[in-house]
Amino acid sequence: DTMRAPPELYVFGSGNDVQPVTEVAGKLDFRVTVVAFRGARADPDAFPHADRVVAAGAPRVADKLELDDRSYAVLMSHNIVDDRMALESLLETDVPYVGLMGPTERFEEIRDALAADGRDLTDADLDRIYAPIGVDLGGGAPYQIATSIATEVLAVHNGRDPGHLRDRKSPIHARR
């Protein structure tokens, strides 16, 4: 039997809300990298549950990271300009999931800014963008939000549409 490397989760941002996401995602067997823009808090001690912490510039962030179809991205820098530039860069990769923190209106503002720069989002782009990020669990506390985010990423990684198991008509796990 071969063993595959764990999927990679890249969390872009260095605010206090990043820490719970790195902890929950790590417990879900993701290899977690925190990407701090412009060196802000690119301190591994600030994110003890991350596998690594790196500093990168938002405009060409995808050029500095090893991203593929088993990489997942969460944009939560709380800086709309950085998130827009990182989103544009990430869409040039094979990353199947780009989650964007913030309300729908924030994503619409980013989409409009991209369109004004001549970068209209395609249907394929929109299929990869999850905004607002997360599964609707109804919680607002930091670890509840982190669980919502990590749950959505895990569901996408496993090719699942999150829902209640009681509503599932087929086996929970694939039969071998």
Side-chain angles (χ1 to χ4, degrees), residues 7-9 21 25 28 30 71-74 97 99 130 133-135 147-159 162:
E8 299 272 348
L9 179 65
V21 173
L28 295 177
F30 284 90
S71 302
Y72 302 85
V74 171
Y97 175 98
Y130 291 75
I133 192 173
V135 173
T147 299
S148 169
I149 292 168
T151 298
E152 184 173 75
V153 176
L154 183 62
V156 170
H157 171 69
N158 289 324

Side-chain angles (χ1 to χ4, degrees), residues 84-132:
R84 180 186 61 80
M85 289 187 293
L87 173 64
E88 189 171 19
S89 182
L90 289 165
L91 290 175
E92 295 173 11
T93 71
D94 292 330
V95 170
Y97 175 98
V98 181
L100 186 61
M101 181 72 98
T104 302
E105 295 80 13
R106 186 172 189 273
F107 172 63
E108 290 170 354
E109 187 176 337
I110 289 173
R111 186 181 59 209
D112 292 345
L114 289 170
D117 288 344
R119 174 60 164 94
D120 290 318
L121 297 176
T122 66
D123 288 342
D125 292 334
L126 293 171
D127 285 344
R128 298 165 54 197
I129 299 170
Y130 291 75

Side-chain angles (χ1 to χ4, degrees), residues 4 15 17 47 52 57 60 74 79 81 111 119 121 132 144 146-147 154-155 166 176:
R4 292 185 69 164
D17 55 351
F47 305 100
R52 67 183 178 144
R60 300 297 312 156
V74 171
N79 180 309
V81 174
R111 186 181 59 209
R119 174 60 164 94
L121 297 176
Q144 293 170 346
T147 299
L154 183 62
R166 72 176 182 190
R176 292 185 189 228

Side-chain angles (χ1 to χ4, degrees), residues 35-78:
V35 182
F37 293 134
R38 293 184 298 275
R41 286 189 66 194
D43 176 10
D45 292 336
F47 305 100
H49 299 285
D51 293 292
R52 67 183 178 144
V53 177
V54 298
R60 300 297 312 156
V61 72
D63 294 344
K64 308 229 183 309
L65 303 170
E66 297 173 21
L67 302 168
D68 59 25
D69 64 350
R70 289 180 46 80
S71 302
Y72 302 85
V74 171
L75 297 171
M76 51 190 307
S77 75
H78 302 285

